[in-house]
Amino acid sequence: MKTLFIGDLHLKARLILPLVAQVIAEHQIERLVFMGDYCDLHGQTENTKLYAQELLYLQKWQQGQLDAGVEIINLLGNHDIFYLLGVPAEFSVTDRDAFFAVQNFLENFQLQVAYQLDDYLISHAGFNILFDLAPWHLVPLNQASITDHEKELEIFTRAVGPMRGGGDMAGSPVWADFRELELIPNAEIPKQIVGHTPQEVIKFTEHVIGVDTFSVYLDMDSLTYQFIGNGDLLCYEDGRFTVIPTNWQSEATRTALSKLY
């Protein structure tokens, strides 16, 4: 089964998913794995209209793919987890009503901590030596399981290593930096695919693959979004990987991003 990994969206679904749709059609993709972080974008925490537009578009787009027979896995990111727990972070939408609207959306979005695909464990940020895989990580969360695992999920929000500005030894599966997976790997999980850490291109190392190539940053001098990643997508089938380019770094994308400011 051809599986496509889609890096962190961060309120850019209307720009990214049309590119993904082209790849699905051209390469007969049968499964999509979204790597988490559907919400929040630097500089847009008060833009409630953007949150509504993006999440509604994402929901409708995914339903269209499901109706067409494409399987979809939605992973849990570090931005998403704060909404599930009902505790705003500094990067969450500031409007209270909008925050809980996002929470309601994500509670029904079938988010899961990790997904096993053949020899590869897939999660938002990855499992380093400090965190082990548990059976509940591989099952979509619902309101009941969020309550049952609230303490563990709270630990996930707090466990942030120094490479991400935190005081812990290393980060949780929603916060770990890519370098942590290389420096302090989890020997029980020798092959991983992750998002979270922005990559200029799909990054392959001996044990970890990073796919967060739709990342941008906000240039505070010009108040414009600048590309970090090139928008490549990673496809997997029968133990083989293929890197598929997209037209992400285009003038059309740049123009659309500029309209956010």
Side-chain angles (χ1 to χ4, degrees):
M1 179 178 286
K2 285 188 177 180
T3 300
L4 195 69
F5 303 94
I6 302 166
D8 309 14
L9 295 181
H10 283 301
L11 298 180
K12 302 188 298 296
R14 289 178 295 172
L15 300 179
I16 294 170
L17 296 185
L19 303 176
V20 174
Q22 293 177 18
V23 172
I24 293 171
E26 293 172 4
H27 294 268
Q28 296 78 51
I29 301 299
E30 301 162 279
R31 180 192 291 125
L32 303 173
V33 179
F34 284 82
M35 304 301 293
D37 278 1
Y38 312 92
C39 306
D40 305 334
L41 177 63
H42 188 201
Q44 302 298 322
T45 57
E46 297 181 8
N47 192 346
T48 57
K49 182 179 179 180
L50 180 64
Y51 279 79
Q53 291 174 328
E54 287 293 317
L55 294 181
L56 288 173
Y57 178 90
L58 172 60
Q59 182 181 50
K60 183 178 180 180
W61 188 93
Q62 283 203 357
Q63 188 59 55
Q65 295 300 324
L66 290 169
D67 292 343
V70 178
E71 180 184 353
I72 295 179
I73 306 297
N74 290 317
L75 297 180
L76 174 68
N78 60 301
H79 284 253
D80 315 314
I81 194 171
F82 287 92
Y83 290 97
L84 288 189
L85 293 173
V87 181
E90 62 181 9
F91 41 69
S92 304
V93 65
T94 55
D95 182 86
R96 178 180 174 85
D97 290 339
F99 178 89
F100 288 108
V102 174
Q103 180 189 53
N104 182 67
F105 173 88
L106 291 175
E107 282 178 345
N108 296 291
F109 207 50
Q110 297 287 297
L111 298 175
Q112 58 193 75
V113 175
Y115 177 68
Q116 188 74 48
L117 179 60
D118 295 340
D119 295 336
Y120 289 86
L121 184 68
I122 304 136
S123 65
H124 177 65
F127 288 72
N128 55 47
I129 195 173
L130 298 185
F131 289 87
D132 292 323
L133 181 67
W136 69 272
H137 295 160
L138 299 171
V139 180
L141 293 162
N142 54 36
Q143 291 183 1
S145 59
I146 291 169
T147 300
D148 291 342
H149 298 290
E150 185 173 3
K151 289 185 178 179
E152 295 103 317
L153 292 169
E154 287 178 349
I155 291 172
F156 281 6
T157 67
R158 297 194 301 267
V160 185
M163 292 178 182
R164 286 282 172 159
D168 285 16
M169 183 184 300
S172 71
V174 300
W175 269 113
D177 190 85
F178 191 92
R179 290 168 292 178
E180 294 174 12
L181 307 178
E182 297 177 289
L183 294 172
I184 48 171
N186 187 320
E188 300 299 318
I189 310 174
K191 295 182 179 181
Q192 299 191 57
I193 300 172
V194 300
H196 184 58
T197 301
Q199 307 290 351
E200 294 182 1
V201 298
I202 302 290
K203 184 172 183 178
F204 293 86
T205 68
E206 184 178 1
H207 300 294
V208 190
I209 304 172
V211 301
D212 184 17
T213 63
F214 290 111
S215 48
V216 298
Y217 72 93
L218 180 59
D219 185 322
M220 297 306 296
D221 292 329
S222 63
L223 288 183
T224 59
Y225 289 101
Q226 303 295 321
F227 296 115
I228 298 176
N230 68 351
D232 279 355
L233 289 164
L234 184 68
C235 179
Y236 173 87
E237 182 183 24
D238 296 332
R240 299 186 300 274
F241 289 101
T242 304
V243 174
I244 302 173
T246 72
N247 197 33
W248 169 245
Q249 285 194 6
S250 66
E251 194 57 39
T253 305
R254 193 182 304 276
T255 299
L257 288 170
S258 71
K259 291 179 179 179
L260 295 178
Y261 264 90

PDB file of all heavy atoms in Angstrom, residues 161-188:
ATOM      1  N   GLY A 161      13.147  19.289  26.066  1.00  0.00           N
ATOM      2  CA  GLY A 161      14.583  19.286  26.272  1.00  0.00           C
ATOM      3  C   GLY A 161      15.235  20.618  25.939  1.00  0.00           C
ATOM      4  O   GLY A 161      14.606  21.524  25.392  1.00  0.00           O
ATOM      5  N   PRO A 162      16.517  20.767  26.249  1.00  0.00           N
ATOM      6  CA  PRO A 162      17.232  22.029  26.029  1.00  0.00           C
ATOM      7  C   PRO A 162      17.312  22.439  24.563  1.00  0.00           C
ATOM      8  O   PRO A 162      17.405  23.628  24.266  1.00  0.00           O
ATOM      9  CB  PRO A 162      18.623  21.747  26.613  1.00  0.00           C
ATOM     10  CG  PRO A 162      18.744  20.253  26.666  1.00  0.00           C
ATOM     11  CD  PRO A 162      17.367  19.743  26.898  1.00  0.00           C
ATOM     12  N   MET A 163      17.275  21.495  23.653  1.00  0.00           N
ATOM     13  CA  MET A 163      17.324  21.849  22.235  1.00  0.00           C
ATOM     14  C   MET A 163      16.059  22.559  21.774  1.00  0.00           C
ATOM     15  O   MET A 163      16.041  23.161  20.696  1.00  0.00           O
ATOM     16  CB  MET A 163      17.569  20.599  21.391  1.00  0.00           C
ATOM     17  CG  MET A 163      18.940  19.996  21.587  1.00  0.00           C
ATOM     18  SD  MET A 163      19.177  18.492  20.609  1.00  0.00           S
ATOM     19  CE  MET A 163      20.848  18.032  21.113  1.00  0.00           C
ATOM     20  N   ARG A 164      15.010  22.469  22.614  1.00  0.00           N
ATOM     21  CA  ARG A 164      13.750  23.165  22.324  1.00  0.00           C
ATOM     22  C   ARG A 164      13.463  24.233  23.378  1.00  0.00           C
ATOM     23  O   ARG A 164      12.337  24.694  23.511  1.00  0.00           O
ATOM     24  CB  ARG A 164      12.607  22.163  22.268  1.00  0.00           C
ATOM     25  CG  ARG A 164      12.620  21.314  21.011  1.00  0.00           C
ATOM     26  CD  ARG A 164      12.067  22.094  19.834  1.00  0.00           C
ATOM     27  NE  ARG A 164      12.222  21.385  18.571  1.00  0.00           N
ATOM     28  CZ  ARG A 164      11.494  21.636  17.502  1.00  0.00           C
ATOM     29  NH1 ARG A 164      10.550  22.554  17.548  1.00  0.00           N
ATOM     30  NH2 ARG A 164      11.714  20.990  16.376  1.00  0.00           N
ATOM     31  N   GLY A 165      14.491  24.604  24.138  1.00  0.00           N
ATOM     32  CA  GLY A 165      14.336  25.667  25.125  1.00  0.00           C
ATOM     33  C   GLY A 165      13.774  25.227  26.451  1.00  0.00           C
ATOM     34  O   GLY A 165      13.410  26.069  27.286  1.00  0.00           O
ATOM     35  N   GLY A 166      13.685  23.910  26.690  1.00  0.00           N
ATOM     36  CA  GLY A 166      13.154  23.408  27.944  1.00  0.00           C
ATOM     37  C   GLY A 166      14.239  23.018  28.924  1.00  0.00           C
ATOM     38  O   GLY A 166      15.434  23.021  28.603  1.00  0.00           O
ATOM     39  N   GLY A 167      13.816  22.629  30.128  1.00  0.00           N
ATOM     40  CA  GLY A 167      14.766  22.282  31.173  1.00  0.00           C
ATOM     41  C   GLY A 167      14.900  20.804  31.430  1.00  0.00           C
ATOM     42  O   GLY A 167      15.669  20.397  32.307  1.00  0.00           O
ATOM     43  N   ASP A 168      14.175  19.968  30.682  1.00  0.00           N
ATOM     44  CA  ASP A 168      14.274  18.535  30.873  1.00  0.00           C
ATOM     45  C   ASP A 168      15.467  17.973  30.088  1.00  0.00           C
ATOM     46  O   ASP A 168      16.025  18.638  29.218  1.00  0.00           O
ATOM     47  CB  ASP A 168      12.999  17.843  30.400  1.00  0.00           C
ATOM     48  CG  ASP A 168      11.844  18.045  31.372  1.00  0.00           C
ATOM     49  OD1 ASP A 168      11.943  18.953  32.220  1.00  0.00           O
ATOM     50  OD2 ASP A 168      10.852  17.319  31.270  1.00  0.00           O
ATOM     51  N   MET A 169      15.834  16.743  30.419  1.00  0.00           N
ATOM     52  CA  MET A 169      16.959  16.111  29.725  1.00  0.00           C
ATOM     53  C   MET A 169      16.673  15.974  28.233  1.00  0.00           C
ATOM     54  O   MET A 169      17.565  16.149  27.402  1.00  0.00           O
ATOM     55  CB  MET A 169      17.251  14.737  30.336  1.00  0.00           C
ATOM     56  CG  MET A 169      18.450  14.022  29.727  1.00  0.00           C
ATOM     57  SD  MET A 169      18.694  12.355  30.405  1.00  0.00           S
ATOM     58  CE  MET A 169      18.937  12.731  32.146  1.00  0.00           C
ATOM     59  N   ALA A 170      15.415  15.675  27.910  1.00  0.00           N
ATOM     60  CA  ALA A 170      15.017  15.506  26.503  1.00  0.00           C
ATOM     61  C   ALA A 170      13.503  15.639  26.418  1.00  0.00           C
ATOM     62  O   ALA A 170      12.806  15.684  27.426  1.00  0.00           O
ATOM     63  CB  ALA A 170      15.484  14.162  25.965  1.00  0.00           C
ATOM     64  N   GLY A 171      13.001  15.676  25.196  1.00  0.00           N
ATOM     65  CA  GLY A 171      11.588  15.915  24.984  1.00  0.00           C
ATOM     66  C   GLY A 171      10.767  14.644  24.843  1.00  0.00           C
ATOM     67  O   GLY A 171      11.286  13.560  24.573  1.00  0.00           O
ATOM     68  N   SER A 172       9.462  14.815  25.009  1.00  0.00           N
ATOM     69  CA  SER A 172       8.502  13.723  24.879  1.00  0.00           C
ATOM     70  C   SER A 172       8.252  13.407  23.406  1.00  0.00           C
ATOM     71  O   SER A 172       8.768  14.104  22.518  1.00  0.00           O
ATOM     72  CB  SER A 172       7.189  14.131  25.545  1.00  0.00           C
ATOM     73  OG  SER A 172       6.528  15.128  24.762  1.00  0.00           O
ATOM     74  N   PRO A 173       7.431  12.407  23.112  1.00  0.00           N
ATOM     75  CA  PRO A 173       7.134  12.077  21.711  1.00  0.00           C
ATOM     76  C   PRO A 173       6.430  13.175  20.925  1.00  0.00           C
ATOM     77  O   PRO A 173       6.299  13.053  19.700  1.00  0.00           O
ATOM     78  CB  PRO A 173       6.241  10.831  21.827  1.00  0.00           C
ATOM     79  CG  PRO A 173       6.658  10.194  23.105  1.00  0.00           C
ATOM     80  CD  PRO A 173       6.957  11.330  24.024  1.00  0.00           C
ATOM     81  N   VAL A 174       5.969  14.237  21.599  1.00  0.00           N
ATOM     82  CA  VAL A 174       5.434  15.383  20.862  1.00  0.00           C
ATOM     83  C   VAL A 174       6.380  16.581  20.906  1.00  0.00           C
ATOM     84  O   VAL A 174       6.121  17.601  20.268  1.00  0.00           O
ATOM     85  CB  VAL A 174       4.031  15.807  21.377  1.00  0.00           C
ATOM     86  CG1 VAL A 174       3.046  14.679  21.224  1.00  0.00           C
ATOM     87  CG2 VAL A 174       4.084  16.307  22.808  1.00  0.00           C
ATOM     88  N   TRP A 175       7.497  16.474  21.648  1.00  0.00           N
ATOM     89  CA  TRP A 175       8.407  17.613  21.803  1.00  0.00           C
ATOM     90  C   TRP A 175       9.861  17.308  21.437  1.00  0.00           C
ATOM     91  O   TRP A 175      10.694  18.220  21.340  1.00  0.00           O
ATOM     92  CB  TRP A 175       8.387  18.124  23.250  1.00  0.00           C
ATOM     93  CG  TRP A 175       7.395  19.200  23.545  1.00  0.00           C
ATOM     94  CD1 TRP A 175       6.299  19.117  24.352  1.00  0.00           C
ATOM     95  CD2 TRP A 175       7.401  20.547  23.052  1.00  0.00           C
ATOM     96  NE1 TRP A 175       5.633  20.311  24.400  1.00  0.00           N
ATOM     97  CE2 TRP A 175       6.282  21.209  23.616  1.00  0.00           C
ATOM     98  CE3 TRP A 175       8.236  21.253  22.183  1.00  0.00           C
ATOM     99  CZ2 TRP A 175       5.984  22.543  23.338  1.00  0.00           C
ATOM    100  CZ3 TRP A 175       7.940  22.584  21.908  1.00  0.00           C
ATOM    101  CH2 TRP A 175       6.824  23.210  22.483  1.00  0.00           C
ATOM    102  N   ALA A 176      10.211  16.065  21.264  1.00  0.00           N
ATOM    103  CA  ALA A 176      11.620  15.713  21.044  1.00  0.00           C
ATOM    104  C   ALA A 176      12.169  16.390  19.791  1.00  0.00           C
ATOM    105  O   ALA A 176      11.505  16.454  18.759  1.00  0.00           O
ATOM    106  CB  ALA A 176      11.773  14.196  20.924  1.00  0.00           C
ATOM    107  N   ASP A 177      13.365  16.887  19.891  1.00  0.00           N
ATOM    108  CA  ASP A 177      14.056  17.428  18.723  1.00  0.00           C
ATOM    109  C   ASP A 177      14.677  16.277  17.931  1.00  0.00           C
ATOM    110  O   ASP A 177      15.056  15.243  18.503  1.00  0.00           O
ATOM    111  CB  ASP A 177      15.141  18.414  19.164  1.00  0.00           C
ATOM    112  CG  ASP A 177      15.723  19.194  17.998  1.00  0.00           C
ATOM    113  OD1 ASP A 177      15.133  20.217  17.622  1.00  0.00           O
ATOM    114  OD2 ASP A 177      16.757  18.758  17.455  1.00  0.00           O
ATOM    115  N   PHE A 178      14.784  16.451  16.627  1.00  0.00           N
ATOM    116  CA  PHE A 178      15.356  15.420  15.764  1.00  0.00           C
ATOM    117  C   PHE A 178      16.732  14.987  16.254  1.00  0.00           C
ATOM    118  O   PHE A 178      17.070  13.802  16.240  1.00  0.00           O
ATOM    119  CB  PHE A 178      15.451  15.951  14.335  1.00  0.00           C
ATOM    120  CG  PHE A 178      15.788  14.910  13.299  1.00  0.00           C
ATOM    121  CD1 PHE A 178      14.781  14.238  12.618  1.00  0.00           C
ATOM    122  CD2 PHE A 178      17.107  14.596  12.996  1.00  0.00           C
ATOM    123  CE1 PHE A 178      15.088  13.273  11.661  1.00  0.00           C
ATOM    124  CE2 PHE A 178      17.420  13.638  12.047  1.00  0.00           C
ATOM    125  CZ  PHE A 178      16.405  12.971  11.379  1.00  0.00           C
ATOM    126  N   ARG A 179      17.527  15.943  16.733  1.00  0.00           N
ATOM    127  CA  ARG A 179      18.889  15.623  17.187  1.00  0.00           C
ATOM    128  C   ARG A 179      18.878  14.721  18.413  1.00  0.00           C
ATOM    129  O   ARG A 179      19.805  13.926  18.612  1.00  0.00           O
ATOM    130  CB  ARG A 179      19.652  16.916  17.476  1.00  0.00           C
ATOM    131  CG  ARG A 179      19.990  17.732  16.222  1.00  0.00           C
ATOM    132  CD  ARG A 179      20.464  19.122  16.585  1.00  0.00           C
ATOM    133  NE  ARG A 179      19.375  19.908  17.151  1.00  0.00           N
ATOM    134  CZ  ARG A 179      19.506  21.152  17.604  1.00  0.00           C
ATOM    135  NH1 ARG A 179      20.682  21.745  17.558  1.00  0.00           N
ATOM    136  NH2 ARG A 179      18.467  21.797  18.097  1.00  0.00           N
ATOM    137  N   GLU A 180      17.832  14.815  19.248  1.00  0.00           N
ATOM    138  CA  GLU A 180      17.739  13.929  20.414  1.00  0.00           C
ATOM    139  C   GLU A 180      17.610  12.473  19.986  1.00  0.00           C
ATOM    140  O   GLU A 180      18.161  11.573  20.634  1.00  0.00           O
ATOM    141  CB  GLU A 180      16.529  14.311  21.267  1.00  0.00           C
ATOM    142  CG  GLU A 180      16.610  15.669  21.922  1.00  0.00           C
ATOM    143  CD  GLU A 180      15.322  16.031  22.633  1.00  0.00           C
ATOM    144  OE1 GLU A 180      14.461  15.135  22.816  1.00  0.00           O
ATOM    145  OE2 GLU A 180      15.162  17.192  23.006  1.00  0.00           O
ATOM    146  N   LEU A 181      16.889  12.244  18.913  1.00  0.00           N
ATOM    147  CA  LEU A 181      16.693  10.876  18.445  1.00  0.00           C
ATOM    148  C   LEU A 181      17.995  10.274  17.931  1.00  0.00           C
ATOM    149  O   LEU A 181      18.162   9.049  17.921  1.00  0.00           O
ATOM    150  CB  LEU A 181      15.635  10.845  17.345  1.00  0.00           C
ATOM    151  CG  LEU A 181      14.289  11.506  17.688  1.00  0.00           C
ATOM    152  CD1 LEU A 181      13.357  11.431  16.487  1.00  0.00           C
ATOM    153  CD2 LEU A 181      13.661  10.879  18.903  1.00  0.00           C
ATOM    154  N   GLU A 182      18.904  11.141  17.503  1.00  0.00           N
ATOM    155  CA  GLU A 182      20.210  10.681  17.042  1.00  0.00           C
ATOM    156  C   GLU A 182      21.196  10.529  18.203  1.00  0.00           C
ATOM    157  O   GLU A 182      21.983   9.579  18.249  1.00  0.00           O
ATOM    158  CB  GLU A 182      20.780  11.669  16.030  1.00  0.00           C
ATOM    159  CG  GLU A 182      19.947  11.813  14.766  1.00  0.00           C
ATOM    160  CD  GLU A 182      20.512  12.846  13.819  1.00  0.00           C
ATOM    161  OE1 GLU A 182      20.441  14.044  14.130  1.00  0.00           O
ATOM    162  OE2 GLU A 182      21.052  12.443  12.781  1.00  0.00           O
ATOM    163  N   LEU A 183      21.134  11.476  19.173  1.00  0.00           N
ATOM    164  CA  LEU A 183      22.114  11.498  20.267  1.00  0.00           C
ATOM    165  C   LEU A 183      21.762  10.536  21.383  1.00  0.00           C
ATOM    166  O   LEU A 183      22.649   9.933  21.996  1.00  0.00           O
ATOM    167  CB  LEU A 183      22.240  12.919  20.825  1.00  0.00           C
ATOM    168  CG  LEU A 183      22.833  13.960  19.871  1.00  0.00           C
ATOM    169  CD1 LEU A 183      22.715  15.352  20.464  1.00  0.00           C
ATOM    170  CD2 LEU A 183      24.288  13.626  19.564  1.00  0.00           C
ATOM    171  N   ILE A 184      20.470  10.416  21.696  1.00  0.00           N
ATOM    172  CA  ILE A 184      20.039   9.506  22.766  1.00  0.00           C
ATOM    173  C   ILE A 184      18.885   8.643  22.233  1.00  0.00           C
ATOM    174  O   ILE A 184      17.743   8.764  22.661  1.00  0.00           O
ATOM    175  CB  ILE A 184      19.631  10.264  24.051  1.00  0.00           C
ATOM    176  CG1 ILE A 184      18.670  11.427  23.728  1.00  0.00           C
ATOM    177  CG2 ILE A 184      20.833  10.768  24.792  1.00  0.00           C
ATOM    178  CD1 ILE A 184      18.070  12.056  24.984  1.00  0.00           C
ATOM    179  N   PRO A 185      19.184   7.769  21.286  1.00  0.00           N
ATOM    180  CA  PRO A 185      18.129   6.972  20.638  1.00  0.00           C
ATOM    181  C   PRO A 185      17.506   5.962  21.587  1.00  0.00           C
ATOM    182  O   PRO A 185      18.107   5.539  22.570  1.00  0.00           O
ATOM    183  CB  PRO A 185      18.885   6.273  19.508  1.00  0.00           C
ATOM    184  CG  PRO A 185      20.288   6.172  20.002  1.00  0.00           C
ATOM    185  CD  PRO A 185      20.528   7.430  20.777  1.00  0.00           C
ATOM    186  N   ASN A 186      16.293   5.589  21.283  1.00  0.00           N
ATOM    187  CA  ASN A 186      15.616   4.503  21.989  1.00  0.00           C
ATOM    188  C   ASN A 186      15.961   3.200  21.272  1.00  0.00           C
ATOM    189  O   ASN A 186      15.530   2.970  20.142  1.00  0.00           O
ATOM    190  CB  ASN A 186      14.103   4.743  21.986  1.00  0.00           C
ATOM    191  CG  ASN A 186      13.348   3.753  22.842  1.00  0.00           C
ATOM    192  OD1 ASN A 186      13.655   2.579  22.863  1.00  0.00           O
ATOM    193  ND2 ASN A 186      12.335   4.244  23.552  1.00  0.00           N
ATOM    194  N   ALA A 187      16.735   2.353  21.929  1.00  0.00           N
ATOM    195  CA  ALA A 187      17.229   1.136  21.294  1.00  0.00           C
ATOM    196  C   ALA A 187      16.104   0.178  20.917  1.00  0.00           C
ATOM    197  O   ALA A 187      16.277  -0.677  20.037  1.00  0.00           O
ATOM    198  CB  ALA A 187      18.221   0.438  22.217  1.00  0.00           C
ATOM    199  N   GLU A 188      14.960   0.311  21.574  1.00  0.00           N
ATOM    200  CA  GLU A 188      13.829  -0.562  21.282  1.00  0.00           C
ATOM    201  C   GLU A 188      13.072  -0.120  20.039  1.00  0.00           C
ATOM    202  O   GLU A 188      12.206  -0.844  19.545  1.00  0.00           O
ATOM    203  CB  GLU A 188      12.879  -0.600  22.489  1.00  0.00           C
ATOM    204  CG  GLU A 188      13.511  -1.106  23.771  1.00  0.00           C
ATOM    205  CD  GLU A 188      14.013  -2.536  23.633  1.00  0.00           C
ATOM    206  OE1 GLU A 188      13.282  -3.356  23.032  1.00  0.00           O
ATOM    207  OE2 GLU A 188      15.121  -2.825  24.123  1.00  0.00           O
TER     208      GLU A 188
END
